[in-house]
Amino acid sequence: MTAVQQDILHEEEEFDYSQKIEIRKVDSSAPMRWLSKGVADFKVSPMLSLMYGVLYAAIGLVLMYLTYHNPIYTFGMVTIFYLAGPVIAVGLYCMSRHIEAGVKPTFNEGCRAMCYNPVGVIGFSIVIGMLIVFWSVITAALFAVYFGSMTITGDFFGTLMANKQIVPFAALLGIIGLFFAVVCFSLSAISIPLMTHRKADIVTAMVTSVRAVKKNPVVMLTWAFAIVALIGLGFAFAFVGVAITLPIVGHASWHAYRELVVDDRVMTVDDCDLPVFPFMRGKLK
């Protein structure tokens, strides 16, 4: 192990990552500021950001192709894409982390994040997976209750919209979905960036994220709407737009975390020589 790595390990041992994390109160212009910084990070390494975006867009296109014949499945797929967004964007958070440090990011940032805090990232992924399963069960159960006896004649969407149960179904699904979205966003708003920067545990990360939302409710609501709008815009162009909007949102989310959490420590080039798995050691440049 190099002297730099030993120094980093010593610093991490001295720093209490479980200490109460202070949250800032931010102004109403914060979401636009985060987006502006996200665009700036996108411009620093546009091809790499686009590679991440294209990968996610390709996954979305495949899922859309597999579910295009059933709007309910398509709706479920889109909502899952939103829920899994914080985990999907982990590589983009780490790109911004290293751009901030003056280090040129690489395509391995997602893997390096796993190496830096594997327990936290994997644990949070499991939590998101459980939420996705829970939401899928709720959607399927509601559909069965309202449309279990519906006969499909060929035009599934037309038959569904003509059913008189569509209004109460949509209303109830919307109410439950809104509550679910608030809970999920509160838990995940800054959790992964926090875990990949301060090496916080999953409980600390989620509690801090909820505290950040609670302290800045209007700003974070605006930020949530901005995320939905940008990713939705990507969906509107048959997922092709996601290749651009998702990387920008991912980079911007890193800056949201950096502004919401009081932590003036900025990683340097030497700090980026993080001890990771043996086959992935070395300075990130």
Side-chain angles (χ1 to χ4, degrees):
M1 182 179 293
T2 67
V4 173
Q5 291 173 333
Q6 289 176 342
D7 289 340
I8 294 172
L9 287 176
H10 179 65
E11 290 175 5
E12 290 185 349
E13 289 172 355
E14 290 182 343
F15 186 82
D16 182 8
Y17 289 97
S18 64
Q19 66 183 344
K20 187 172 175 114
I21 299 171
E22 186 178 352
I23 303 296
R24 288 190 181 94
K25 181 76 173 177
V26 297
D27 60 84
S28 60
S29 64
M32 290 303 299
R33 189 163 55 248
W34 301 336
L35 283 175
S36 178
K37 292 181 179 180
V39 171
D41 282 0
F42 183 91
K43 291 179 178 178
V44 169
S45 190
M47 294 309 297
L48 181 55
S49 295
L50 280 173
M51 285 177 66
Y52 272 107
V54 168
L55 177 61
Y56 304 142
I59 294 173
L61 285 171
V62 170
L63 292 175
M64 179 175 285
Y65 173 77
L66 295 175
T67 61
Y68 77 96
H69 60 285
N70 194 325
I72 293 299
Y73 292 156
T74 303
F75 170 78
M77 179 270 298
V78 169
T79 55
I80 287 172
F81 211 86
Y82 274 111
L83 290 176
V87 176
I88 290 174
V90 63
L92 296 162
Y93 304 148
C94 292
M95 281 182 63
S96 289
R97 181 183 71 184
H98 291 96
I99 289 172
E100 182 183 85
V103 179
K104 186 175 179 61
T106 70
F107 190 71
N108 291 327
E109 299 306 341
C111 296
R112 295 185 189 278
M114 291 294 295
C115 296
Y116 182 59
N117 191 355
V119 175
V121 175
I122 293 174
F124 188 77
S125 300
I126 293 173
V127 171
I128 292 298
M130 293 172 64
L131 291 174
I132 288 173
V133 170
F134 184 56
W135 172 247
S136 299
V137 169
I138 289 177
T139 304
L142 286 177
F143 187 80
V145 169
Y146 282 95
F147 305 108
S149 60
M150 184 176 68
T151 301
I152 306 299
T153 59
D155 181 6
F156 182 89
F157 186 73
T159 305
L160 183 66
M161 295 306 295
N163 194 298
K164 63 181 181 181
Q165 294 294 329
I166 188 63
V167 174
F169 167 77
L172 183 57
L173 186 65
I175 293 172
I176 297 176
L178 180 60
F179 173 78
F180 199 75
V182 170
V183 172
C184 291
F185 177 75
S186 298
L187 291 175
S188 63
I190 61 171
S191 294
I192 294 273
L194 177 59
M195 287 189 284
T196 57
H197 182 239
R198 295 183 62 154
K199 211 170 186 176
D201 62 86
I202 181 175
V203 175
T204 299
M206 291 193 298
V207 169
T208 302
S209 184
V210 171
R211 288 175 53 225
V213 173
K214 185 177 180 181
K215 189 166 186 176
N216 300 276
V218 177
V219 172
M220 295 308 286
L221 179 62
T222 303
W223 178 230
F225 276 127
I227 292 174
V228 171
L230 284 170
I231 301 301
L233 183 63
F235 291 156
F237 290 92
F239 272 91
V240 176
V242 174
I244 297 176
T245 58
L246 190 141
I248 290 175
V249 169
H251 290 310
S253 296
W254 166 260
H255 292 287
Y257 152 71
R258 289 295 279 151
E259 190 167 332
L260 287 165
V261 171
V262 177
D263 187 345
D264 296 328
R265 296 175 301 126
V266 177
M267 298 183 78
T268 65
V269 174
D270 288 335
D271 291 333
C272 290
D273 192 13
L274 298 171
V276 293
F277 294 145
F279 59 87
M280 293 185 67
R281 290 186 184 279
K283 208 172 292 287
L284 308 183
K285 63 181 179 180

